[in-house]
Amino acid sequence: MILPDWLRELPTHSLRALARLYRRPLPQASGTLRVSGLRAPVEILRDRFGVPHLYAGDLEDALFAQGFVHAQDRLWQMELNRRVGHGRLAELVGAVAFETDVLLRTLGLGRAARATLATIDDETQRALEAYARGVNAWLSHRRFRAPLELALLGAKPEPWTPLDTLAWGQMMAFGLSTNWDAELVNAALSMRLGPERAARLKGELPRENPIILPEQLFAPLYDELVARFRSAAPHLPLAGLSGMSNNWVVAGAKSATGRPLLANDPHLAPQMPSIWYQNHLVCPELEVTGVSLPGAPGVVIGHNADIAWGLTAALPDTMDLFIEKLDPSDPTCYEFEGAWERAEVLREEVRVKGEPAPRTVEITVTRHGPIVSGLSPLARGAPGYALALNWAGRENNRISRATLRLNTARNWSDFRAALADWDAPAMNVVYADREGHIGYQMTGRVPVRKRPGGLVPQPGWTGEHEWVGFIPPGELPHALDPEEGYFASANNRVAGPDYPHFLGHETMNGFRARRIIERLTEKERLSLDDFAQLQLDRFCRPAAPFCALLVSLGAKLLDDPALASRRETAARALDALAGWDHVLSADSRAGAIYELTLFFAERRLLEPWLGALTEHVLGVGFHPLLDPVVIGFLDRTQLVVAEILIANEKEWLKDQTREALLARALYDALHYLERTLGQDESRWSWGAIHPVAFRHPLGGQKPLDRIFNRGPYPYGGDTNTVWQAAFVPRLPIEAEGGFTASYRQLIDLGDWDASRAIHTTGQSGHPASPHYDDFIPLWLAGEYHPLLWSRERVLAHLQARLELEPA
């Protein structure tokens, strides 16, 4: 995040003053507080892990208490998130965030939130209002002290509103949706290489789907759009939005307890504080525990008294770019089916800190969505044309209603009814209940198109590529009690060719799902300990064939002139690969050699063909709102490059041999290890060049980094291991880049108190709190804390008791 000048110039000697200041906001966790807006007393029991257990007389008071503890522990995070959702960052940090606000306003997340609020049902409205009352009760309490971040920025939080919750929900939904970015890169690939070679490089492209793309219209729009999003990238504090995930569930027949077991680890970008907040809500209407999102009521992932569930991103195609043909005499008009239509031109005021008057921006919206190729109605792409973005979540989103209904679901029927309201983002949801059933349901609003598409931007003026509705919730993929006795998902393809609806092209490669199923079927009966070991599995199957290739060509590689100066080092490297078990542990020397050699081999193969486009195809430097590694074809590109080299497809090698390319890639890898880690090969390890860190939006400036940031730490795994550790493919590997398991849960349907969980950092957002970073050692070691359920167990781990009483 970009900081104001005075904060960027903060001298190091101010650290002591900051240390004194940061202790002030720690909230009261024990005793009694009288608060307005509460109907009856509420008891808040915080266990020794910092998790609050909220006991209330009814649902509204329980959600009030949830808003209260969210605000106590994570107000800065909530304030930042709602400003992102509304496009109001410049009010907080000044002109450096103006372009970011314009981009966010253009995407229309706040507009979609307002549309949702206007149509929301009474029950959800009451829940959102109860939650907001709880947030505001803390903000208005005499014990309230602004978090350190807001004190440093000189900002005072406004009262929380239901609209704030909905706006942040829209940002989360957008960040976990696909695939407008892939459309741009696919089109550029086709133009650069031709459809056939582009299809080979993508690894999978249905031949029956034509690519209709007039090159003379697209190329300038591509360049302009990339430039615009790049300019906004430094100002977007949106780490944590994109991601992948694993989940699986086994029936009692495959469980050591005779009851279902369920696991989930959602993969998001590492950040400080964690995107998740654990809490346990208890009232007559429901009892539910798991993780929530600060700023929103309810539990997103977890279990109630009857059912458990876990989420992974389904990655259907819910976005399309349309090329709009503009009227030469009036660029606010665009053509559709032979007639000119008037675009909606919105004027919004963006307030900038330090400026007396707001700046006015204009946003143009066609029937296909907002124009995203220019900053004004006069689109700056190819003359007479513009790009509009259609997204399934841009009008309204009932995810708040779905979450609250899911929290109170008691059986499979209730569960499916709740998820019918889950509009965006699209998810794979695994299910288990106390009656012994297990299930799978895909959620989300997935468009039905007139013609198959989703690969590249389509002409908007013909009417041939319109959306004609959405797949009915009842027709989304689902199943109950399979013969195999398990379900597993890891962002892999959802349905086979017999499924009647088009879902998309951009799923992940399936290696994580394959490994999960292998491990689930190795034993007749599985325990939570088996599940825990599976969540920590770092076996990288795609490494095996590539390493075998390098070893089989060893003599030829060692004889290549490129390795003349490092022949002995290269020989030892090849021996390490030959003996490697393909487990990407943090201390693996062979793992570092494999990852780096493949990294350099990809570039040496692709750059002669793609030039500057190489980085986009590999997922670097394109998408500021999502981490690059979420682009659906990224993991496939790596695999396709390995396939090309293994098969020795000479048409891809141009004027070099496969052996020469691999020798040079191995040289690059060894040179990088020597330069980065030194000549002592015992110090070479994957974790040493592949760290993980938890960065705070204000932690980019000294001495604030010492207060807010944690890490880096050596880290194993990659995008193809169940222990998810995807990274942005550039060197040095950024410690805060990529994404990983943001939360791990293991649920025992036979004994709720036997369940376990952990998220990345800690419950508190206050650096002075012991719960700011106490989860990090557990999380790094692959350990958990008990997911406490019964009051007896909660009291056994009690750390603090707070009574809230009506004022």
Side-chain angles (χ1 to χ4, degrees):
M1 182 174 181
I2 302 298
L3 304 180
D5 289 341
W6 72 267
L7 196 50
R8 285 190 281 113
E9 296 168 0
L10 196 67
T12 303
H13 68 258
S14 298
L15 183 60
R16 291 182 181 176
L18 287 172
R20 289 193 297 270
L21 179 62
Y22 87 171
R23 293 187 181 92
R24 295 181 70 248
L26 287 176
Q28 180 175 336
S30 299
T32 301
L33 291 177
R34 296 182 64 82
V35 294
S36 58
L38 195 62
R39 300 196 292 196
V42 171
E43 185 181 32
I44 301 174
L45 304 182
R46 293 182 186 264
D47 64 32
R48 64 188 179 92
F49 311 105
V51 177
H53 304 260
L54 314 174
Y55 296 86
D58 62 28
L59 177 59
E60 288 192 24
D61 277 355
L63 296 178
F64 175 103
Q66 186 184 27
F68 189 87
V69 296
H70 277 177
Q72 279 192 312
D73 288 337
R74 299 286 191 90
L75 182 61
W76 155 253
Q77 184 180 35
M78 294 167 63
E79 180 68 21
L80 184 64
N81 288 349
R82 70 167 160 181
R83 287 180 178 276
V84 170
H86 290 299
R88 295 179 54 193
L89 288 170
E91 296 178 16
L92 192 66
V93 298
V96 291
F98 173 72
E99 292 297 333
T100 299
D101 281 352
V102 173
L103 172 59
L104 294 166
R105 302 287 185 100
T106 300
L107 292 174
L109 307 176
R111 295 194 298 276
R114 290 190 290 273
T116 299
L117 188 61
T119 60
I120 207 164
D121 63 284
D122 291 342
E123 182 181 1
T124 307
Q125 178 75 29
R126 288 195 299 271
L128 293 174
E129 289 175 349
Y131 177 87
R133 287 198 304 273
V135 175
N136 295 330
W138 175 242
L139 297 185
S140 61
H141 198 276
R142 61 184 178 84
R143 294 291 184 93
F144 170 73
R145 299 292 183 273
L148 174 61
E149 298 91 336
L150 293 180
L152 289 172
L153 293 168
K156 182 180 179 181
E158 300 171 356
W160 194 266
T161 71
L163 186 61
D164 296 327
T165 294
L166 298 176
W168 176 240
Q170 285 298 119
M171 187 67 247
M172 285 293 298
F174 183 87
L176 289 167
S177 299
T178 58
N179 71 331
W180 68 269
D181 46 1
E183 291 187 13
L184 292 171
V185 179
N186 287 340
L189 272 176
S190 182
M191 287 159 27
R192 182 78 179 235
L193 302 177
E196 292 77 19
R197 198 173 291 276
R200 175 68 183 105
L201 193 59
K202 187 173 169 60
E204 183 179 87
L205 186 66
R207 296 184 181 275
E208 67 270 21
N209 290 357
I211 299 176
I212 305 172
L213 185 68
E215 181 175 350
Q216 66 274 18
L217 303 183
F218 179 76
L221 294 170
Y222 173 85
D223 295 338
E224 194 280 331
L225 187 61
V226 170
R228 179 184 172 194
F229 277 17
R230 272 184 177 170
S231 70
H235 314 315
L236 285 172
L238 304 182
L241 293 190
S242 61
M244 303 185 288
S245 306
N246 303 317
N247 63 24
W248 61 87
V249 61
V250 300
K254 286 188 63 65
S255 163
T257 67
R259 305 292 292 274
L261 303 174
L262 184 147
N264 187 201
D265 53 299
H267 306 154
L268 296 166
Q271 64 178 56
M272 181 60 83
S274 166
I275 195 169
W276 300 112
Y277 182 89
Q278 286 184 238
N279 45 214
H280 177 197
L281 282 65
V282 184
C283 64
E285 294 94 329
L286 91 163
E287 182 171 7
V288 63
T289 190
V291 284
S292 59
L293 291 168
V299 167
V300 180
I301 300 171
H303 74 81
N304 62 25
D306 299 293
I307 72 168
W309 64 93
L311 310 178
T312 72
L315 303 180
D317 185 351
T318 59
M319 294 177 167
D320 277 342
L321 285 169
F322 286 85
I323 307 172
E324 304 287 26
K325 183 186 294 185
L326 305 179
D327 184 345
S329 63
D330 184 353
T332 65
C333 291
Y334 62 99
E335 183 179 343
F336 182 72
E337 293 185 335
W340 294 110
E341 292 192 358
R342 174 78 57 187
E344 183 181 12
V345 179
L346 307 174
R347 292 173 176 82
E348 296 200 14
E349 291 186 346
V350 178
R351 297 189 177 276
V352 179
K353 186 175 183 178
E355 297 184 5
R359 304 185 193 183
T360 301
V361 299
E362 291 187 335
I363 299 161
T364 303
V365 182
T366 74
R367 63 168 48 236
H368 301 122
I371 297 295
V372 293
S373 56
L375 297 177
S376 75
L378 302 176
R380 299 186 302 168
Y385 296 91
L387 282 177
L389 174 61
N390 203 4
W391 170 47
R394 73 182 177 93
E395 294 182 354
N396 58 61
N397 190 349
R398 297 169 297 170
I399 190 170
S400 292
R401 169 181 164 88
T403 300
L404 294 167
R405 294 183 69 193
L406 180 62
N407 287 184
T408 58
R410 302 190 63 181
N411 52 44
W412 174 247
S413 177
D414 291 349
F415 169 79
R416 293 197 67 209
L419 294 184
D421 291 328
W422 191 296
D423 294 324
M427 290 286 164
N428 299 307
V429 191
V430 293
Y431 163 94
D433 65 33
R434 297 272 286 180
E435 298 299 318
H437 300 291
I438 65 170
Y440 162 83
Q441 174 71 58
M442 179 181 162
T443 72
R445 189 185 288 155
V446 182
V448 177
R449 298 163 171 89
K450 278 188 179 181
R451 297 176 59 179
L455 281 176
V456 295
Q458 302 285 1
W461 59 88
T462 67
E464 297 174 354
H465 305 281
E466 298 302 291
W467 294 4
V468 294
F470 298 97
I471 300 175
E475 297 178 21
L476 289 169
H478 63 279
L480 182 69
D481 294 332
E483 292 183 7
E484 298 82 0
Y486 64 83
F487 289 107
S489 77
N491 315 111
N492 50 310
R493 187 178 298 279
V494 172
D498 294 336
Y499 183 67
H501 298 291
F502 170 73
L503 294 178
H505 302 291
E506 308 299 338
T507 58
M508 305 307 288
N509 62 32
F511 276 104
R512 283 181 290 117
R514 179 175 171 181
R515 179 63 172 173
I516 291 167
I517 292 172
E518 285 177 351
R519 295 290 301 274
L520 293 181
T521 54
E522 282 177 353
K523 297 176 67 174
E524 185 174 338
R525 290 190 177 263
L526 298 147
S527 67
L528 277 194
D529 287 339
D530 295 321
F531 276 27
Q533 289 302 309
L534 181 48
Q535 285 190 333
L536 311 184
D537 191 296
R538 299 169 179 87
F539 177 71
C540 181
R541 182 175 298 278
F546 186 72
C547 291
L549 172 67
L550 293 172
V551 172
S552 69
L553 297 176
K556 293 181 179 179
L557 300 184
L558 294 176
D559 287 340
D560 191 280
L563 287 171
S565 64
R566 285 181 170 79
R567 197 173 192 280
E568 293 183 2
T569 306
R572 289 191 295 270
L574 292 172
D575 286 343
L577 293 178
W580 185 35
D581 59 5
H582 309 121
V583 174
L584 275 169
S585 58
D587 60 359
S588 173
R589 180 167 68 99
I593 296 167
Y594 156 70
E595 292 282 0
L596 286 171
T597 304
L598 181 55
F599 173 91
F600 288 113
E602 282 186 276
R603 280 157 175 76
R604 286 189 172 275
L605 180 75
L606 296 179
E607 284 175 353
W609 291 98
L610 300 178
L613 186 60
T614 304
E615 296 297 280
H616 296 320
V617 172
L618 295 178
V620 177
F622 178 75
H623 198 325
L625 295 177
L626 300 176
D627 288 318
V629 279
V630 83
I631 299 175
F633 50 73
L634 171 65
D635 59 345
R636 298 185 198 176
T637 304
Q638 184 184 76
L639 297 174
V640 169
V641 167
E643 289 172 1
I644 288 171
L645 293 171
I646 291 169
N648 200 15
E649 297 180 23
K650 291 184 173 59
E651 65 272 21
W652 280 94
L653 294 169
K654 288 203 169 183
D655 57 352
Q656 58 188 331
T657 67
R658 174 182 65 176
E659 290 73 18
L661 182 149
L662 288 172
R664 286 164 174 76
L666 181 56
Y667 172 88
D668 294 337
L670 299 176
H671 178 68
Y672 183 82
L673 286 167
E674 291 175 355
R675 189 177 75 247
T676 306
L677 302 179
Q679 298 287 333
D680 183 357
E681 294 173 32
S682 67
R683 297 177 55 202
W684 295 2
S685 69
W686 177 225
I689 60 171
H690 174 246
V692 65
F694 304 98
R695 307 295 194 205
H696 187 282
L698 299 188
Q701 173 63 34
K702 296 180 182 299
L704 300 183
D705 58 332
R706 296 169 61 185
I707 294 176
F708 291 118
N709 295 344
R710 297 294 182 269
Y713 309 99
Y715 203 56
D718 72 0
T719 191
N720 294 308
T721 58
V722 178
W723 173 289
Q724 176 61 254
F727 57 95
V728 178
R730 60 173 166 246
L731 297 176
I733 296 171
E734 296 178 353
E736 66 275 19
F739 46 90
T740 188
S742 60
Y743 171 63
R744 301 186 186 110
Q745 73 169 16
L746 304 175
I747 307 296
D748 184 342
L749 275 291
D751 179 4
W752 295 129
D753 278 323
S755 301
R756 317 169 194 173
I758 194 73
H759 63 77
T760 47
T761 58
Q763 284 288 96
S764 178
H766 300 290
S769 169
H771 297 302
Y772 184 69
D773 55 10
D774 58 332
F775 283 174
I776 293 177
L778 295 173
W779 180 83
L780 284 169
E783 299 176 3
Y784 305 79
H785 68 77
L787 190 60
L788 304 173
W789 177 257
S790 67
R791 186 175 175 90
E792 178 184 7
R793 291 277 288 161
V794 171
L795 291 174
H797 291 271
L798 183 65
Q799 184 177 73
R801 184 195 307 264
L802 179 67
E803 298 280 349
L804 299 184
E805 295 184 352

